[in-house]
Amino acid sequence: IKSRTSVPGICVPLGEKAAQLLEQHTLLKPQNIEPVLWVWYYRITLLSLHFPERITIDLGLHYVTPHKQAAWQNMCILEVKQNSANRHSVIIDALKQLHIHPKSLSKYCTGVAITYPQLKYNQFKSKLLQIEKIEHLYAPTAIAGASGN
């Protein structure tokens, strides 16, 4: 279950509204935590007029830590959100026809894995390799080279 609040921006230390949210919904104390990763991306949300589902497309993922930055410019994360699993979703059927199959991914966990290389990330290694393959395959120079330009 997610709990959210609107804040004007990232505050270090946490602002009053964010600190209250943290104390209300966790056992954590705001003074005992510190930011380690910022995740930025653009989101497109599409709503179905005929089915109880929506689609989010996250583009231009960019990770920032106090010591490193990383970005995924050539891939997107598409998520189909439904009230219950619907095996007859038009978007899921279209993706399957394109040989795009569901995968689980945490933007936060993969962001930590690529920006904190000193941490063990074996659990995420296969996902990171898939992402690198997509990034390389769809890089502007790879596309220009593939078309003969």
Side-chain angles (χ1 to χ4, degrees):
I1 298 174
K2 293 182 182 179
S3 297
R4 298 179 180 174
T5 188
S6 177
V7 295
I10 295 175
C11 301
V12 180
L14 289 180
E16 185 178 330
K17 285 176 78 175
Q20 286 175 352
L21 182 74
L22 187 69
E23 288 181 324
Q24 289 171 357
H25 296 281
T26 73
L27 299 175
L28 300 171
K29 300 290 180 204
Q31 63 272 19
N32 294 337
I33 64 170
E34 64 181 81
V36 294
L37 178 70
W38 285 266
V39 182
W40 303 97
Y41 52 91
Y42 299 99
R43 173 167 281 179
I44 299 168
T45 302
L46 306 171
L47 300 174
S48 172
L49 299 176
H50 306 287
F51 304 103
E53 70 181 8
R54 69 184 191 278
I55 300 161
T56 59
I57 305 169
D58 297 340
L59 306 158
L61 273 85
H62 190 92
Y63 299 100
V64 179
T65 72
H67 308 290
K68 187 174 180 178
Q69 293 189 30
W72 297 337
Q73 296 301 321
N74 302 310
M75 73 163 243
C76 70
I77 297 173
L78 184 143
E79 184 177 0
V80 178
K81 300 180 179 189
Q82 305 170 317
N83 293 339
S84 61
N86 180 0
R87 295 176 189 229
H88 302 291
S89 167
V90 174
I91 186 69
I92 291 173
D93 291 344
L95 291 169
K96 284 180 184 176
Q97 288 180 355
L98 294 169
H99 304 288
I100 299 172
H101 302 286
K103 304 216 182 316
S104 64
L105 178 78
S106 162
K107 289 185 282 284
Y108 172 77
C109 291
T110 51
V112 167
I114 63 173
T115 56
Y116 289 92
Q118 70 275 21
L119 299 177
K120 290 185 179 184
Y121 65 96
N122 289 343
Q123 187 174 354
F124 302 100
K125 201 170 209 172
S126 67
K127 289 189 191 303
L128 293 175
L129 289 172
Q130 288 175 346
I131 291 165
E132 287 300 320
K133 184 177 178 182
I134 291 168
E135 280 291 301
H136 178 70
L137 184 63
Y138 294 103
T141 54
I143 293 170
S147 65
N149 294 334

